């Protein structure tokens, strides 16, 4: 079996992990010089378009990440073979941790306590009532469902929204375009875990964000392009939103002169809410390759029409 791999960094450890999980496979790093070398499987993260232009016999493509928007944008992606994304591989619990941390930091006012500490002020603030902070999760795939369940487990009233809906214990779920407005109106803390597609790009904008309950708070752990950044800045400026925690931005790394860096109501992290865990990911991909080789179907196959 022949496997071509592409990532822009840490390639040595990935190649070694794949070779050790699939010891009968020949594994190599894609380079333009070796573009003609044909593989059965491609395991990639943000590959150049030329990779697919040169590969003619792929049986499946594995994305070493949960979001496939980067792959979907490539012109030569083979249309007739499974494109498989990671499902979970340790990401759901990282994402749930990140989101609950951002949620609780905001609701329990930990940023205020950090400021008080700088002033050596010992002063308790009024306790927050979780009922005043209904949480809404946009995107209820494996990761989104885990995020919603985690928020609900702390006792926050929790709502979910997705294209086609889903039944989840303790979560009130809204579906589709008709469900979007009632969902937003029910929510004060909005969490975006959506896949990025033509339909969801820009979904976090002035019209949608201003439907949140007053003093709304946004947590975006999906993709920067879900958010219209200037709309967020305007809503923060006029006090319509209380703040935002952003793990993703339109242009990554965020340019040094971007207003988000110094905004007092924005907390930023550099796209780390759920990092790809090499061991878990390689074990999952190797298992799926073995299943495909035996003619079985695998989980996590992308619906190219939907884009996720
Ligand atoms: C992913 C990511 O899609 O890291 O997995 O953003």
């Amino acid at each position: 079996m022949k496997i071509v791999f592409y990532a822009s960094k840490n390639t040595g450890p990935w190649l070694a992990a794949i070779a050790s999980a699939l010891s009968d496979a020949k594994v190599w790093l894609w380079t333009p010089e070796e573009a003609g070398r044909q593989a059965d499987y491609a395991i990639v993260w943000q590959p150049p378009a030329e990779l697919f232009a040169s590969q003619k016999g792929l049986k499946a493509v594995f994305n070493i990440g949960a979001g496939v928007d980067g792959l979907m944008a490539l012109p030569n992606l083979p249309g007739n073979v499974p494109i498989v994304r990671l499902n979970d591989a340790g990401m759901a619990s990282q994402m749930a941790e990140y989101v609950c941390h951002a949620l609780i930091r905001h609701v329990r006012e930990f940023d205020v306590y950090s400021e008080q500490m700088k002033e050596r002020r010992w002063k308790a603030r009024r306790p927050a009532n979780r009922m005043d902070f209904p949480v809404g999760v946009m995107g209820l795939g494996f990761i989104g469902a885990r995020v919603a369940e985690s928020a609900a487990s702390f006792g926050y009233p929790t709502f979910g929204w997705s294209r086609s809906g889903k039944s989840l214990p303790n979560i009130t779920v809204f579906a589709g375009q008709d469900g979007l407005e009632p969902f937003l109106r029910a929510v004060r803390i909005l969490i975006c875990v959506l896949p990025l597609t033509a339909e969801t790009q820009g979904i976090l904008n002035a019209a949608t964000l201003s439907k949140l309950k007053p003093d709304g708070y946004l947590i975006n752990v999906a993709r920067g392009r879900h958010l219209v950044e200037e709309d967020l800045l305007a809503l923060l400026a006029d006090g319509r939103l209380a703040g935002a925690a952003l793990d993703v931005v339109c242009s990554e790394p965020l340019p040094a002169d971007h207003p988000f860096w110094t905004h007092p109501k924005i907390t930023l992290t550099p796209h780390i809410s759920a990092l790809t865990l090499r061991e878990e990911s390689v074990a999952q991909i190797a298992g799926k390759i073995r299943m495909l080789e035996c003619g079985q179907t695998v989980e996590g196959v992308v619906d190219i029409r939907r884009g996720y």
Side-chain angles (χ1 to χ4, degrees):
M1 180 199 310
K2 290 171 282 175
I3 299 180
V4 65
F5 172 80
Y6 183 88
S8 57
K9 54 182 191 210
N10 297 333
T11 52
W14 275 96
L15 288 166
I18 298 167
S20 123
L22 293 160
S23 51
D24 51 342
K26 291 223 164 357
V27 188
W28 69 94
L29 178 68
W30 186 88
T31 57
E33 295 70 42
E34 271 204 289
R37 192 170 167 192
Q38 299 298 306
D40 302 309
Y41 296 99
I43 301 178
V44 295
W45 179 245
Q46 298 182 336
E50 299 78 61
L51 187 149
F52 294 111
S54 60
Q55 291 295 320
K56 301 295 176 208
L58 291 176
K59 296 195 230 170
V61 176
F62 290 88
N63 183 55
I64 49 175
V68 287
D69 44 295
L71 267 188
M72 293 293 120
L74 295 179
N76 302 313
L77 192 65
N80 51 352
V81 301
I83 311 294
V84 190
R85 62 191 176 83
L86 288 179
N87 44 322
D88 188 14
M91 286 190 180
S93 49
Q94 292 182 69
M95 201 71 113
E97 277 174 354
Y98 181 102
V99 166
C100 289
H101 174 264
L103 164 69
I104 293 166
R105 193 187 63 233
H106 175 62
V107 174
R108 299 287 307 272
E109 303 184 288
F110 285 121
D111 288 343
V112 178
Y113 290 113
S114 296
E115 287 309 309
Q116 285 190 187
M117 188 178 164
K118 288 183 199 151
E119 295 160 13
R120 299 173 184 245
R121 264 180 94 203
W122 184 271
K123 185 174 182 311
R125 296 176 62 82
R126 293 235 327 257
N129 181 349
R130 284 187 207 94
M131 295 303 130
D132 294 336
F133 293 92
V135 167
V137 180
M138 301 178 94
L140 297 173
F142 191 85
I143 295 179
R146 177 66 179 277
V147 166
E149 283 157 8
S150 304
S153 75
F154 284 105
Y156 289 91
T158 306
F159 299 82
W161 178 80
S162 70
R163 201 169 175 262
S164 47
K166 185 175 214 172
S167 168
L168 291 170
N170 306 318
I171 319 281
T172 308
V173 173
F174 293 86
Q177 265 315 310
D178 291 349
L180 184 57
E181 176 156 355
F183 162 78
L184 293 167
R185 294 208 183 279
V187 162
R188 176 156 288 132
I189 312 274
L190 183 66
I191 298 161
C192 180
V193 196
L194 286 167
L196 182 68
T197 64
E199 275 173 42
T200 64
Q201 178 161 340
I203 195 167
L204 306 171
N205 56 46
T208 50
L209 293 174
S210 48
K211 294 197 170 77
L212 298 179
K213 289 187 179 296
D215 291 324
Y217 190 86
L218 172 68
I219 302 174
N220 189 11
V221 286
R223 287 289 185 262
R225 282 189 290 134
H226 284 120
L227 174 66
V228 180
E229 294 184 342
E230 49 288 11
D231 288 5
L232 173 67
L233 289 168
L235 292 165
L236 290 171
D238 70 14
R240 188 66 191 73
L241 290 185
L246 306 175
D247 184 49
V248 287
V249 288
C250 285
S251 173
E252 296 181 8
L254 187 67
D257 58 353
H258 197 287
F260 285 175
W261 282 118
T262 49
H263 200 293
K265 295 181 183 168
I266 292 180
T267 305
L268 265 184
T269 46
H271 202 141
I272 48 76
S273 56
L275 297 169
T276 300
L277 304 176
R278 194 166 41 241
E279 296 311 316
E280 282 86 338
S281 305
V282 168
Q284 183 176 108
I285 292 169
K288 288 182 182 178
I289 290 181
R290 285 195 206 96
M291 288 173 75
L292 289 174
E293 287 288 297
C294 298
Q296 295 170 2
T297 51
V298 297
E299 273 187 67
V301 175
V302 172
D303 178 338
I304 307 262
R305 231 172 359 94
R306 282 191 326 192
Y308 62 95

